[in-house]
């Protein structure tokens, strides 16, 4: 009878997860384990915060020309665009300067206080912008609004941290969709409520406060919405883990690993290639989307003899409103299924590839009119908005999953800074490009606006290429 082989040693028992009593992050982790499903209350706050914070970014565009004219800063009418460009870029420059600071602050003091302060800054500085009677005051308030409204980095981290792993794509898509709706509805608020004495003389008297400050009403409307969101911060739960100084009892739960022991050693964010590669593609797509937004508006209102559509401002607003509504429908009914089937990387690649033929088709629409123009134009605008949101959501999800929680705010701060600088450059570059293209209507190689949309597509192709190896390093959980 042969000898029995020695019994193999039992595998080590998995470490227990430690919950610190009094830690808000641990409380949120407990809640996610005991309440599976979509955190509707937290995501509602994410959506409203992102929405009201995005409104002032674009709300000034419909009245920017008239505001510069009323401030009497431009020596000639032809110079109004020059001064308008600096005022339009002041917000993004301010945000680019301060985003890393707010991301680090969110990792140190928590997501909730940074979000609350950001909403408070919207109330104060957006109102002061409406009260501006000097050009320097308008520039200063817009710059400070961008610098002190540090919501984007912590709100992306927060949207990830309130969701269980299978719902994190939904959390990021809520941020992207609310942002998209805010930057589309913002101009509608500015256009309808600016200069109320001229637009609604039966409701507003010339000697009233809105006669003296003709651009205050849209700012007050946005500030009122921000006040409601600020009040709701009272009931907002924190998600950041705060273990230092806690000496209370801990609750041991079998079957999972300790958070601290499971985390790899921290490494420099700038040396984290999965993070930095996703930020690079994110910035290229942001540059494209901002340039596209400006070129689309300029192209639709320009005369047909220059390759445009000869639209009125209200016609452009209507197209953008329908495109914004399509984002909400897409968010509710389609995005989660698409993310489940394709994942963030493939959904980014597919949406980027499908955007190319849409952009290529725009310059040929100038030969259409009536219903034959409206149908393809509205469909193209809606699809382009949906594809842009899908790309933004996919790259944001990759960024947040490339770092541990205690670096997530700083990582989003770096991404926001880089994105803000690219968005500050995009409007000026797009305006110069469009002006140059208008002067070459009879060129033999891609005449007029065909060259504009060709260069937009070139930017899209660069972004698409950056989503493949070796340019994109994929976080471990997304490797297929």
């Amino acid at each position: 009878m042969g000898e029995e082989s020695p019994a193999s040693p039992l595998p080590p028992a998995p470490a227990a997860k430690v919950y610190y009593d009094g830690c808000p992050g641990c409380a949120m982790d407990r809640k996610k384990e005991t309440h599976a499903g979509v955190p509707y209350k937290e995501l509602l706050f994410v959506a409203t915060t992102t929405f009201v914070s995005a409104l002032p970014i674009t709300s000034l565009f419909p009245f920017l020309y008239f505001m510069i004219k009323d401030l009497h800063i431009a020596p000639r009418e032809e110079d109004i665009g020059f001064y308008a460009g600096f005022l339009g870029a002041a917000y993004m420059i301010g945000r680019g300067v301060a985003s890393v600071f707010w991301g680090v602050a969110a990792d140190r003091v928590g997501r909730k206080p940074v979000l609350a302060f950001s909403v408070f800054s919207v109330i104060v500085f957006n109102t002061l912008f409406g009260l501006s009677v000097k050009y320097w005051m308008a520039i200063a308030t817009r710059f400070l609004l961008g610098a002190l409204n540090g919501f984007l980095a912590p709100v992306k981290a927060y949207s990830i941290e309130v969701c269980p792993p299978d719902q994190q794509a939904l959390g990021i898509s809520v941020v992207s969709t609310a942002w998209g709706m805010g930057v589309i509805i913002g101009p509608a608020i500015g256009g309808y409520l600016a200069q109320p004495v001229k637009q609604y003389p039966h409701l507003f008297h010339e000697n009233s406060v809105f006669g003296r400050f003709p651009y205050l009403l849209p700012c007050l409307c946005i500030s009122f919405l921000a006040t409601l969101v600020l009040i709701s911060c009272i009931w907002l739960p924190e998600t950041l883990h705060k273990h230092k100084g806690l000496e209370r009892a801990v609750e041991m739960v079998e079957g999972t690993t300790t958070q601290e022991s499971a985390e790899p050693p921290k490494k420099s964010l700038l040396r984290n290639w999965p993070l930095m590669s996703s930020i690079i593609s994110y910035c290229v797509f942001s540059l494209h989307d901002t340039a596209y937004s400006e070129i689309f508006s300029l192209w639709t209102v320009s005369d047909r003899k220059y390759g445009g559509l000869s639209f009125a401002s209200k016609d452009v607003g209507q197209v953008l409103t329908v495109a914004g509504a399509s984002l909400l429908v897409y968010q509710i009914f389609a995005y989660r299924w698409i993310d489940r089937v394709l994942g963030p990387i493939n959904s980014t690649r597919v949406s980027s590839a499908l955007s190319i033929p849409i952009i290529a088709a725009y310059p040929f629409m100038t030969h259409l009119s009536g219903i034959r123009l409206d149908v393809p134009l509205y469909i193209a605008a809606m699809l382009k908005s949906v594809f842009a949101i899908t790309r933004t959501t996919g790259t944001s999800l990759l960024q947040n999953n490339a770092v541990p929680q205690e670096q997530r705010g700083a990582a989003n701060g770096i991404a926001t800074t880089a994105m803000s600088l690219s968005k500050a450059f995009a409007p000026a570059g797009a305006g110069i490009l469009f002006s140059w293209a208008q002067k070459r209507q009879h060129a033999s190689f891609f005449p007029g606006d065909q060259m504009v949309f060709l260069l937009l597509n070139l930017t899209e192709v660069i972004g698409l290429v950056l989503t493949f190896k070796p340019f994109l390093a994929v976080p471990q959980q997304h490797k297929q």
Side-chain angles (χ1 to χ4, degrees), residues 51 55 58 173-188 292-293 296 315-333 362 377-389:
F51 178 73
L55 285 175
T58 55
S173 69
V174 167
V175 175
S176 302
T177 302
W179 172 270
M181 294 182 66
V183 297
I184 289 174
I185 295 176
Y292 164 81
S293 297
F296 181 84
D315 298 325
V316 182
Q318 188 170 317
V319 175
L320 294 177
T321 300
V322 172
S326 69
L327 295 181
L328 183 61
V329 175
Y330 174 70
Q331 164 67 42
I332 295 174
F333 297 105
Y362 276 130
L377 180 65
Y378 276 79
I379 291 176
M382 289 189 292
L383 290 176
K384 184 66 178 70
S385 297
V386 165
F387 294 151
I389 287 297

Side-chain angles (χ1 to χ4, degrees), residues 23 68 93 192 244 284 291 340 343 380 404 408 438-439 465 478 480:
C23 169
I68 297 296
I93 294 173
Y192 281 113
K244 291 183 179 180
V284 172
R340 194 179 304 118
R408 196 168 283 154
Q438 295 274 285
K439 300 173 184 176
V465 170
H478 293 297
Q480 299 171 348

Side-chain angles (χ1 to χ4, degrees), residues 233-253:
C233 287
I234 298 173
W235 298 278
L236 181 70
E238 179 59 75
T239 60
L240 184 66
H241 285 272
K242 299 179 180 180
H243 298 165
K244 291 183 179 180
L246 292 176
E247 298 178 356
R248 302 174 185 174
V250 296
E251 176 185 352
M252 307 295 291
V253 179

Side-chain angles (χ1 to χ4, degrees), residues 212-441:
R212 184 182 177 189
F213 303 103
Y215 311 104
L216 175 61
L217 185 57
C219 297
L220 281 181
C221 177
I222 294 172
S223 296
F224 173 74
L225 295 175
T227 301
L228 298 180
V229 173
L230 180 61
I231 295 173
S232 71
C233 287
I234 298 173
W235 298 278
L236 181 70
E238 179 59 75
T239 60
L240 184 66
H241 285 272
K242 299 179 180 180
H243 298 165
K244 291 183 179 180
L246 292 176
E247 298 178 356
R248 302 174 185 174
V250 296
E251 176 185 352
M252 307 295 291
V253 179
E254 299 290 338
T256 55
T257 60
T258 306
Q259 180 195 354
E260 288 76 13
S261 62
E263 293 175 353
K266 295 181 186 178
K267 59 180 177 180
S268 169
L269 292 177
L270 298 180
R271 295 181 180 179
N272 184 337
W273 184 238
L275 170 67
M276 299 310 297
S277 62
S278 61
I279 288 178
I280 292 172
S281 60
Y282 177 62
C283 289
V284 172
F285 287 135
S286 296
L287 175 68
H288 168 90
D289 292 340
T290 305
Y292 164 81
S293 297
E294 175 155 336
I295 287 174
F296 181 84
S297 298
L298 293 173
W299 170 68
T300 51
V301 299
S302 63
D303 196 281
R304 282 185 178 269
K305 67 181 179 180
Y306 295 117
L309 301 181
S310 297
F311 273 19
S313 296
K314 65 177 182 179
D315 298 325
V316 182
Q318 188 170 317
V319 175
L320 294 177
T321 300
V322 172
S326 69
L327 295 181
L328 183 61
V329 175
Y330 174 70
Q331 164 67 42
I332 295 174
F333 297 105
Y335 179 75
R336 276 190 285 179
W337 177 81
I338 290 175
D339 179 75
R340 194 179 304 118
V341 172
L342 296 178
I345 301 173
N346 286 331
S347 63
T348 298
R349 292 168 178 167
V350 170
S351 59
S352 179
L354 292 177
S355 296
I356 294 173
I358 292 177
I359 295 173
Y362 276 130
F364 300 100
M365 293 184 187
T366 190
H367 303 295
L368 305 176
S369 61
I371 191 68
R372 291 189 303 166
L373 169 63
D374 291 341
V375 171
L377 180 65
Y378 276 79
I379 291 176
M382 289 189 292
L383 290 176
K384 184 66 178 70
S385 297
V386 165
F387 294 151
I389 287 297
T390 304
R391 287 195 277 95
T392 302
T393 303
T395 51
S396 296
L397 195 61
L398 293 176
Q399 292 166 28
N400 281 274
N401 285 331
V403 293
Q405 192 207 37
E406 66 271 15
Q407 291 183 311
R408 196 168 283 154
N412 280 297
I414 294 173
T416 303
T417 294
M419 179 263 288
S420 298
L421 295 177
S422 67
K423 285 193 171 186
F425 168 78
I432 293 172
L433 172 63
F434 188 83
S435 178
W436 169 71
Q438 295 274 285
K439 300 173 184 176
R440 55 186 309 278
Q441 294 297 320

Side-chain angles (χ1 to χ4, degrees), residues 29-61:
D29 286 348
R30 287 176 181 169
K31 181 179 179 180
K32 287 189 291 186
E33 288 185 358
T34 57
H35 298 84
V38 179
Y40 290 104
K41 185 183 76 171
E42 289 80 7
L43 290 184
L44 176 62
F45 178 84
V46 166
T48 54
T49 303
T50 306
F51 178 73
V52 299
S53 297
L55 285 175
I57 298 175
T58 55
S59 63
L60 80 162
F61 289 155

